[in-house]
Amino acid sequence: RSSWLLLAPLLTPTVPVITAPPCSLCPEGAHRFQWIRNLVPEFGISSSHVKVLSSPAEFYELLKVQIKTAKQRVVMASLYLGTGLLEQELVDCLEETLEKSLQAKGSSNLRVSILLDYTRGSRGRKNSRTMLIPLLQRFPEQVRVSLFHTPNLRGLLRLLIPERFNETIGLQHIKVYLFDDNVILSGANLSDLYFTNRQDRYVLLQDSPEIADFFTELVDAIGDVSLQLQRDDTVQMMEGMVHPYQGDKMAYCEIANRRVMEVINSARTRQELLHAKTFHSSQQGSSLLSQQGSQASGGLKPEPDTWIYPLIQMKPFGIQIDEMVTETLLTEAERDARIYLTTGYFNLTQAYMDLILGTRAEYRILLASPEVNGFFGAKGVAGAIPAAYVYIEHQFYSEVCCLHQQERVQLQEYSRAGWTFHAKGLWLYLAGSDLPCLTLIGSPNFGYRSVHRDLEAQVAIVTENKALQQQLHQEQEQLYLCSSVVSSSTFEQPNRYVKLWVKLVTPLIKNFF
């Protein structure tokens, strides 16, 4: 327990006031969310390019297929890469694809870029680094491995905090898996649990070059301010770059902010120009198309019916776009709208809790029961984390009851024998609609860590297409089917007993898990 005391200086950082963007809400359909493009690039695509996956096995098989067929680029951002047989199979797929690309041309165009977290990826003797070093040694010109180290873990704090606990200060938490022009957004890491029996969410955006370019540039930007893994298992910064924990913290964060915002702003400018050009062309060509008939228009790219908005949250760098958009969505949700919100770790920020309790929409919040929490059965202090989540859940439920909001705000616990639960995201059903028109999917958990400590990314998917809305609805239903509604009797069960010391410590440590 004493390890947590080392974190005392960081326990109560100030929470900034967020000013939400002006919401030019239109009365009809998906277009009410176009205000998001005031902050980030808007990518219009056909719903036929979006596929929602449902199982870890499907996710794993897709990763292998995509690696094997990649020709130009493989970009993977994750918290860490595991060290088991399934993870080794992924590395073997990468090696095989790189080898084939060399044999085909003599000099390959294929580039592999992998971004992981330094602390998590360096844990133990056999770790993410040792898994990837053979690729670096064999394909030094084609493979890049970047290890992000939070600038907040430095000095005495870095020396004193034990290995397993240093992750609490901040992580690279983004999960993006990209192959040529196909992008998988998920909350799942590259580890055997996430390939077998740990439930998460996954969406594939197929043949989407602009979106793939954006996430390639984003991962490159974070990679540039990260430690670069070398063939001898050492790490070093790129030449001329400020070191994240040895250099000046403010200078490092300013450079990181500039690099990431350049990616966001340049992509936003490109998409605005593309949108204006497309709109102008369609206006000019409308009469011509009507004369030439359907035969002439048959070869045209289909009109987008789905819009992708990348939402980035990197509070250490002063970037709070995801937080701003999420708070605005919760604020603007009207009476009789339904919001399904799910998180593997129920530890909402005070701002999110206040909005849920103070606004008019109906909420169905899905969280992990103690038995499917990823920390269930862990040794030492970590073993008490599920109980801490129970305590946080009980406190929130009590507040819901005090405000007589049990009908409007409902908690549900995911439970599935032999599985753990890691799914996170949001589905928004407008008033009177049986299908969602918006979903958030990616790495954030809606908790303090996601907002304040870690590097996070998710996308808002807005769609007018009924078939895609049905896919998203079925995804939501499949997750919620494995749940039971929380009531006051839930907390009377023997497995919900929370020890006194956990109750006392939870308010001090809840910002770190």
Side-chain angles (χ1 to χ4, degrees):
R1 265 179 264 171
S2 60
S3 302
W4 294 109
L5 299 178
L6 298 170
L7 309 181
L10 301 175
L11 289 177
T12 54
T14 57
V15 179
V17 176
I18 302 296
T19 305
C23 297
S24 53
L25 298 185
C26 302
E28 73 281 356
H31 291 296
R32 65 173 56 216
F33 304 107
Q34 285 187 343
W35 57 266
I36 303 176
R37 72 181 183 197
N38 295 330
L39 298 168
V40 296
E42 175 188 69
F43 301 99
I45 63 173
S46 168
S47 56
S48 61
H49 292 183
V50 184
K51 182 182 180 186
V52 179
L53 312 181
S54 61
S55 73
E58 191 179 6
F59 170 59
Y60 181 62
E61 291 305 317
L62 180 62
L63 286 176
K64 289 194 293 183
V65 168
Q66 290 292 316
I67 289 172
K68 289 176 180 177
T69 55
K71 298 290 189 291
Q72 301 294 325
R73 59 185 170 189
V74 173
V75 179
M76 299 198 290
S78 184
L79 174 59
Y80 69 106
L81 171 70
T83 58
L85 294 176
L86 294 179
E87 297 93 318
Q88 185 59 56
E89 195 173 337
L90 280 185
V91 176
D92 292 344
C93 286
L94 285 169
E95 184 176 11
E96 181 184 324
T97 302
L98 285 161
E99 184 63 47
K100 280 183 180 176
S101 73
L102 277 179
Q103 290 175 353
K105 295 185 178 179
S107 63
S108 172
N109 293 325
L110 178 64
R111 294 291 178 266
V112 175
S113 177
I114 299 173
L115 171 67
L116 306 173
D117 182 71
Y118 176 89
T119 53
R120 187 61 179 270
S122 303
R123 185 201 287 180
R125 186 170 293 178
K126 188 178 181 183
N127 52 42
S128 305
R129 292 162 64 162
T130 58
M131 292 287 288
L132 293 169
I133 282 171
L135 289 182
L136 279 172
Q137 291 174 337
R138 190 164 177 202
F139 308 99
E141 300 302 316
Q142 294 166 265
V143 178
R144 179 192 192 190
V145 179
S146 305
L147 302 168
F148 174 79
H149 191 294
T150 177
N152 292 326
L153 182 63
R154 54 177 47 233
L156 195 59
L157 198 65
R158 189 174 189 274
L159 291 173
L160 293 178
I161 297 185
E163 188 176 65
R164 284 181 65 86
F165 295 98
N166 56 13
E167 300 168 23
T168 60
I169 305 303
L171 293 167
Q172 192 309 107
H173 200 244
I174 296 168
K175 291 84 187 273
V176 175
Y177 308 108
L178 189 158
F179 314 90
D180 292 340
D181 292 338
N182 300 327
V183 184
I184 303 171
L185 276 304
S186 180
N189 292 304
L190 295 173
S191 171
D192 54 3
L193 290 174
Y194 296 90
F195 304 150
T196 51
N197 62 347
R198 190 161 208 191
Q199 184 62 58
D200 215 299
R201 297 180 66 208
Y202 335 83
V203 66
L204 169 64
L205 307 177
Q206 297 172 290
D207 190 24
S208 303
E210 292 94 352
I211 301 173
D213 288 347
F214 173 83
F215 280 106
T216 298
E217 291 171 16
L218 180 68
V219 172
D220 282 347
I222 303 167
D224 288 349
V225 299
S226 298
L227 294 156
Q228 307 300 305
L229 184 64
Q230 306 299 305
R231 285 175 280 180
D232 59 357
D233 198 19
T234 60
V235 293
Q236 63 184 46
M237 290 300 291
M238 288 175 59
E239 190 175 347
M241 188 62 65
V242 177
H243 199 282
Y245 63 85
Q246 293 176 351
D248 181 79
K249 180 179 174 180
M250 187 175 292
Y252 172 80
C253 291
E254 285 176 358
I255 290 170
N257 173 286
R258 191 160 59 247
R259 284 289 289 112
V260 173
M261 289 309 299
E262 279 172 2
V263 172
I264 295 170
N265 291 330
S266 63
R268 186 166 162 253
T269 301
R270 285 198 304 269
Q271 290 308 114
E272 285 176 348
L273 291 171
L274 182 65
H275 178 78
K277 185 179 178 183
T278 304
F279 178 77
H280 183 66
S281 298
S282 65
Q283 291 291 96
Q284 279 193 330
S286 58
S287 58
L288 180 64
L289 281 174
S290 63
Q291 292 170 13
Q292 292 178 335
S294 58
Q295 185 177 4
S297 61
L300 289 176
K301 193 175 179 181
E303 282 290 309
D305 58 8
T306 300
W307 295 268
I308 309 296
Y309 301 94
L311 308 179
I312 311 303
Q313 184 75 12
M314 299 179 181
K315 180 66 180 299
F317 304 156
I319 299 170
Q320 298 168 255
I321 296 170
D322 179 64
E323 177 187 9
M324 189 180 294
V325 171
T326 303
E327 288 189 4
T328 306
L329 288 172
L330 300 183
T331 301
E332 295 296 329
E334 75 266 40
R335 190 184 300 278
D336 297 328
R338 283 176 295 137
I339 292 179
Y340 289 78
L341 186 151
T342 178
T343 172
Y345 304 109
F346 182 73
N347 186 15
L348 301 177
T349 66
Q350 191 62 50
Y352 291 161
M353 283 194 288
D354 290 345
L355 286 169
I356 289 169
L357 294 173
T359 51
R360 298 167 297 175
E362 292 181 17
Y363 284 86
R364 300 293 179 263
I365 302 174
L366 183 63
L367 49 113
S369 66
E371 297 77 18
V372 299
N373 186 293
F375 291 97
F376 186 74
K379 295 177 182 178
V381 174
I385 289 179
Y389 281 117
V390 169
Y391 182 58
I392 293 167
E393 176 190 352
H394 194 180
Q395 284 185 311
F396 181 75
Y397 179 77
S398 298
E399 195 167 350
V400 171
C401 293
C402 284
L403 296 170
H404 306 290
Q405 299 287 312
Q406 299 97 308
E407 292 300 313
R408 191 180 65 82
V409 180
Q410 193 174 91
L411 296 182
Q412 295 177 230
E413 287 187 352
Y414 185 94
S415 184
R416 188 175 179 186
W419 284 64
T420 54
F421 182 69
H422 197 251
K424 67 271 306 236
L426 178 153
W427 299 259
L428 174 60
Y429 294 68
L430 296 177
S433 176
D434 293 328
L435 297 173
C437 64
L438 176 146
T439 191
L440 301 182
I441 179 169
S443 63
N445 275 296
F446 305 103
Y448 189 94
R449 288 204 55 162
S450 291
V451 171
H452 292 276
R453 298 195 181 282
D454 298 341
L455 306 192
E456 304 278 13
Q458 63 180 339
V459 293
I461 302 176
V462 178
T463 185
E464 295 177 336
N465 180 269
K466 294 299 180 187
L468 179 53
Q469 289 180 354
Q470 189 66 45
Q471 273 195 76
L472 295 171
H473 176 67
Q474 288 172 350
E475 178 200 30
Q476 177 270 116
E477 279 198 322
Q478 186 178 344
L479 290 172
Y480 279 70
L481 275 173
C482 297
S483 71
S484 56
V485 176
V486 171
S487 66
S488 55
S489 62
T490 302
F491 302 101
E492 295 169 5
Q493 299 171 20
N495 64 341
R496 302 308 167 97
Y497 173 72
V498 180
K499 294 176 181 178
L500 178 60
W501 75 265
V502 175
K503 292 181 180 180
L504 294 174
V505 169
T506 296
L508 300 177
I509 65 171
K510 65 184 291 186
N511 294 344
F512 294 91
F513 60 83

